[in-house]
């Protein structure tokens, strides 16, 4: 009987549009809200720690890795990856020429989105941790304000096959308005 009620409530939530977030939380998939929160926390962390905080983001078992997502740090001005917990082979390497399988220049788009006043979303194909195969990833990018350094951005994403950029922008708008999202 309990399983029937759970399935019934999940059907109601999905019908109301709320189920996607609930199912993502239950499945171990990072949500858009989590990605935004983690990226903002990472930007704040770097603002207070400066460049000495970069190393924290290379730790695969650290606090910047959760569920199936992680925060990565890059320098748009210097064209290089600064920290990446899942792909240490990218650290120190140029990023602007990196494309997904469709030929999309991922970091050119991330750098542009991250320079928006509240950051922005970029959709591309990327390997999901532990999956090996390419998945649709939508990353939230935000510029980090670090003394004596410019061009640094932080990003994290969600592997979601159904959410649209318009829906993600609505989440970002809500989370950028303190009267509508009290966590800020």
């Amino acid at each position: 009987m309990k399983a029937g009620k759970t399935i019934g409530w999940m059907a109601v939530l999905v019908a109301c549009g709320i189920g996607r977030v609930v199912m993502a939380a239950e499945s171990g998939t990072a949500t858009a809200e989590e990605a935004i929160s983690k990226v903002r926390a990472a930007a704040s962390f770097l603002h207070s720690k400066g460049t000495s905080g970069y190393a924290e983001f290379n730790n695969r078992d650290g606090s910047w890795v959760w569920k199936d997502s992680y925060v990565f740090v890059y320098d748009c001005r210097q064209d290089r990856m600064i920290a990446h917990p899942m792909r240490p082979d990218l650290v120190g390497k140029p990023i602007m020429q990196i494309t997904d399988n469709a030929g999309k220049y991922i970091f050119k788009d991330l750098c542009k989105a991250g320079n928006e006043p509240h950051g922005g979303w970029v959709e591309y194909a990327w390997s999901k941790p532990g999956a090996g195969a390419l998945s649709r990833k939508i990353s939230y990018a935000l510029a980090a304000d670090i003394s004596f350094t410019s061009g640094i951005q932080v990003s994290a994403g969600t592997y979601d096959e159904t959410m649209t950029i318009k829906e993600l922008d609505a989440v970002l708008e809500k989370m950028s308005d303190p009267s509508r999202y009290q966590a800020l």
Side-chain angles (χ1 to χ4, degrees), residues 17-27 29 31-33 67 163 171:
I18 300 168
R20 184 177 299 154
V21 173
V22 172
M23 290 187 318
E26 288 180 357
S27 70
T29 300
T31 65
E33 291 86 353
K67 294 182 181 178
M163 284 194 81
V171 171

Side-chain angles (χ1 to χ4, degrees), residues 13 17 19 21 30 39 154:
L13 292 172
V21 173
V39 166
V154 291

Side-chain angles (χ1 to χ4, degrees), residues 89-104:
D89 59 307
L90 293 177
V91 175
K93 301 280 174 47
I95 55 171
M96 292 302 173
Q97 83 288 352
I98 296 175
T99 61
D100 68 3
N101 280 5
K104 181 177 192 143

Side-chain angles (χ1 to χ4, degrees), residues 1-13:
M1 182 67 179
K2 189 174 185 178
K5 282 185 179 180
T6 301
I7 292 170
W9 277 113
M10 289 300 290
V12 169
L13 292 172

Side-chain angles (χ1 to χ4, degrees), residues 4 9 17 22 26 42 45-46 48 69 75 102 105 116 130 137 145:
W9 277 113
V22 172
E26 288 180 357
F45 174 81
L46 288 174
S48 65
S69 194
D75 187 330
Y105 286 93
E116 293 297 319
K137 183 173 186 178
D145 181 23

